[in-house]
Amino acid sequence: LLGCRYAIPAMLASGGGSIVNVASFVAHMGAATPQVAYTASKGAVLAMTREIAVIYARQGIRANSLCPGPIMTPMLAKFLSDDAKRNRRLVHIPMGRFGDPIEIANGALFLASDESSWMTGQSLIIDGGITAAYVTPE
């Protein structure tokens, strides 16, 4: 939100731009583990994104959200430190693997670029299929 406070006036002055907010796949489906504040905050990011998109659409500003699934970062690697923990998480990902940071960066690049010029108020879910499946094949 702080970034929007400064970015929006600059975008208005220059004739438009693209805002990419980062939420999470849990904003669409919730989490089975206790992380209510995190999940609620990511849902709020989606709502804020839609509001900004509608308010500023006719002034050339687009706003979209990026919703990544589990990405193999050093933090996640530390949390999933053994095979049992990793496999418990992987069973929920239809693609059978964690995402790579570059895959999220490419999504952000798409949302920021003119390739998504008729897209605003949306969320781009990059999650290996988690939100598309109730259960996955073993």
Side-chain angles (χ1 to χ4, degrees):
L1 185 57
L2 183 59
C4 291
R5 179 179 178 195
Y6 297 104
I8 290 173
M11 288 180 185
L12 289 171
S14 68
S18 176
I19 297 168
V20 180
N21 292 319
V22 180
S24 169
F25 77 101
V26 299
H28 287 275
M29 63 183 292
T33 57
Q35 56 181 36
V36 174
Y38 177 82
T39 300
S41 71
K42 297 307 180 177
V45 169
L46 297 185
M48 178 186 71
T49 299
R50 287 189 302 268
E51 185 93 3
I52 290 168
V54 171
I55 291 169
Y56 295 103
R58 293 190 182 206
Q59 293 165 287
I61 296 175
R62 298 181 301 108
N64 293 291
S65 290
L66 188 58
C67 296
I71 304 304
M72 190 46 74
T73 62
M75 184 175 83
L76 184 62
K78 185 177 178 181
F79 177 70
L80 302 175
S81 58
D82 61 57
D83 287 342
K85 288 179 181 179
R86 275 191 300 281
N87 291 335
R88 177 160 169 26
R89 196 76 181 264
L90 281 172
V91 73
H92 299 289
I93 305 174
M95 292 184 80
R97 67 175 180 83
F98 297 105
D100 291 320
I102 191 67
E103 292 170 309
I104 303 308
N106 286 335
L109 180 60
F110 169 70
L111 291 176
S113 76
D114 288 339
E115 298 299 319
S116 62
S117 62
W118 206 51
M119 185 175 177
T120 195
Q122 302 304 307
S123 58
L124 179 60
I125 303 171
I126 304 175
D127 68 355
I130 294 172
T131 56
Y134 173 64
V135 294
T136 59
E138 295 199 44

